[in-house]
Amino acid sequence: MKKVLVTGGTVFVSRYIAEYYIAKGYDVYVINRNSRKQSLGVNLIEADRHNLGKKLHKFHFDVVIDTGYTAEDVDLLLDALYSYSSYIFISSSAVYSEYEKLPFTEETQLDINKYWGEYGINKIKAEKTLIKRDPNAYILRPPYLYGPMNNVYRESFVFDCALKDRPFYLPNDGKMKLQFFHVNDLCRFIDVVIMKKPLQHIFNVGNKDTVSVREWVELCYNSAGKKARFVNVFANVEQRNYFSFYNYEYYLDVSKQYELMHNTMPLYEGLKESFDWYKNNSDKVNKKPFLEYIDNNLI
């Protein structure tokens, strides 16, 4: 039985990863402060990851899956680990500057992105720290992650609009492209990395196909059993006041991922899964006042 350490383990990506490996029969450990309900079957290491002391010294982990944010997160975890075989860091496409040529490849220069700010900068520093300390570690850079347990108000915002039979206020002409990756596919690719140990150590991961904002909204409405109606917003207002994404189009070259994992979940299937989860878990999403802004400023 493989021992897996997942940092966090209580919210979206890290929680999904922990439950995925529990379902596979792995011996799953999570590090968190025990301030939220734990998933069934995890072994809790109750601690702040910045103050682990010797709590990990009695363990050997076959795989460490780290969803940390900063170089300090990585440094302190590596200091605390006594023994492990593979380290996989969940980074982000936010490490690429918006000015670089599309699609972003793994070789694209890393730099500040004005849309992601400190988040992207911190991920860059975390990657550099990890590579310096463990050149054999793996780094995965997803675009927008989605799926069950997503606590970010993205697809769930559209579900709310659909459930309320509201028209959807669409930025501009709705042609802006988005790229997604289902959290289950992220786990499946982690499986591939664990099993095959590829020579490549940094991977862009995601669906190979992009989708327009309009198409994505239509799929979200369809998942809720509704048909989308649109109001196009051409006014000079900040898009993030009423919509889940920045006015920023980018996409990743994920060909190296597809050489190792040849398929991903169709977006319509993934969104249906997301909706089925959201129906019973709407209280677990960090909602933003998009609807209030629309009602007060756009109608």
Side-chain angles (χ1 to χ4, degrees), residues 61-76:
F61 295 107
D62 297 290
V63 187
V64 175
I65 303 172
D66 187 9
T67 58
Y69 293 100
T70 68
E72 183 185 27
D73 288 346
V74 171
D75 253 334
L76 292 176

Side-chain angles (χ1 to χ4, degrees), residues 119-138:
Y119 172 76
I121 293 170
N122 285 334
K123 284 288 192 180
I124 292 171
K125 291 178 179 177
E127 286 191 14
K128 289 180 177 178
T129 296
L130 179 58
I131 292 168
K132 182 177 180 180
R133 293 196 56 177
D134 182 357
N136 293 316
Y138 289 94

Side-chain angles (χ1 to χ4, degrees), residues 245-268:
F245 300 93
Y246 291 108
N247 184 17
Y248 168 48
E249 179 177 284
Y250 76 94
Y251 47 97
L252 306 174
D253 179 338
V254 294
S255 56
K256 291 177 180 175
Q257 167 204 316
Y258 272 78
E259 289 174 7
L260 298 173
M261 188 177 82
H262 308 304
N263 58 75
T264 56
M265 185 179 296
L267 187 56
Y268 68 89

Side-chain angles (χ1 to χ4, degrees), residues 26-269:
Y26 286 33
D27 193 10
V28 177
Y29 291 75
V30 296
I31 298 173
N32 62 65
R33 290 171 291 184
N34 201 19
S35 58
R36 291 185 171 95
K37 185 177 180 180
Q38 303 296 322
S39 296
L40 291 176
V42 298
N43 300 289
L44 172 64
I45 300 171
E46 185 174 342
D48 187 316
R49 68 175 288 163
H50 293 164
N51 188 27
L52 284 166
K54 296 183 178 181
K55 289 195 174 186
L56 304 182
H57 279 203
K58 65 180 179 180
F59 299 105
H60 168 79
F61 295 107
D62 297 290
V63 187
V64 175
I65 303 172
D66 187 9
T67 58
Y69 293 100
T70 68
E72 183 185 27
D73 288 346
V74 171
D75 253 334
L76 292 176
L77 182 60
L78 286 170
D79 288 345
L81 286 165
Y82 178 72
S83 176
Y84 68 92
S85 297
S86 297
Y87 194 118
I88 299 172
F89 182 67
I90 310 301
S91 187
S92 169
S93 56
V95 299
Y96 300 118
S97 167
E98 74 275 15
Y99 298 112
E100 294 293 336
K101 181 181 177 181
L102 293 174
F104 299 144
T105 70
E106 289 86 349
E107 291 73 38
T108 297
Q109 184 173 341
L110 308 188
D111 206 345
I112 185 172
N113 183 303
K114 71 178 183 181
Y115 296 98
W116 300 116
E118 287 297 318
Y119 172 76
I121 293 170
N122 285 334
K123 284 288 192 180
I124 292 171
K125 291 178 179 177
E127 286 191 14
K128 289 180 177 178
T129 296
L130 179 58
I131 292 168
K132 182 177 180 180
R133 293 196 56 177
D134 182 357
N136 293 316
Y138 289 94
I139 294 170
L140 309 184
R141 297 171 179 162
Y144 297 111
L145 289 164
Y146 78 108
M149 304 186 195
N150 188 1
N151 64 320
V152 183
Y153 203 37
R154 289 176 182 156
E155 59 266 26
S156 52
F157 165 57
V158 188
F159 297 152
D160 277 346
C161 292
L163 292 170
K164 295 175 186 292
D165 289 316
R166 294 176 61 107
F168 193 84
Y169 280 69
L170 192 69
N172 300 305
D173 58 8
K175 292 182 179 179
M176 186 181 83
K177 298 291 186 182
L178 300 170
Q179 187 179 29
F180 291 96
F181 199 42
H182 194 284
V183 65
N184 187 264
D185 287 330
L186 175 67
C187 293
R188 290 176 56 233
F189 191 69
I190 292 172
D191 284 343
V192 171
V193 169
I194 293 170
M195 188 167 45
K196 295 189 176 181
K197 293 185 169 50
L199 295 178
Q200 173 95 11
H201 281 261
I202 299 176
F203 288 92
N204 289 340
V205 292
N207 295 354
K208 64 182 177 182
D209 298 320
T210 59
V211 61
S212 73
V213 169
R214 184 185 180 97
E215 292 166 334
W216 176 72
V217 171
E218 288 174 335
L219 288 172
C220 289
Y221 269 71
N222 289 343
S223 297
K226 304 286 185 175
K227 183 175 176 59
R229 295 176 290 119
F230 294 100
V231 176
N232 294 88
V233 180
F234 293 103
N236 186 25
V237 295
E238 172 54 51
Q239 183 168 299
R240 285 283 284 155
N241 288 337
Y242 67 94
F243 186 57
S244 310
F245 300 93
Y246 291 108
N247 184 17
Y248 168 48
E249 179 177 284
Y250 76 94
Y251 47 97
L252 306 174
D253 179 338
V254 294
S255 56
K256 291 177 180 175
Q257 167 204 316
Y258 272 78
E259 289 174 7
L260 298 173
M261 188 177 82
H262 308 304
N263 58 75
T264 56
M265 185 179 296
L267 187 56
Y268 68 89
E269 288 185 14

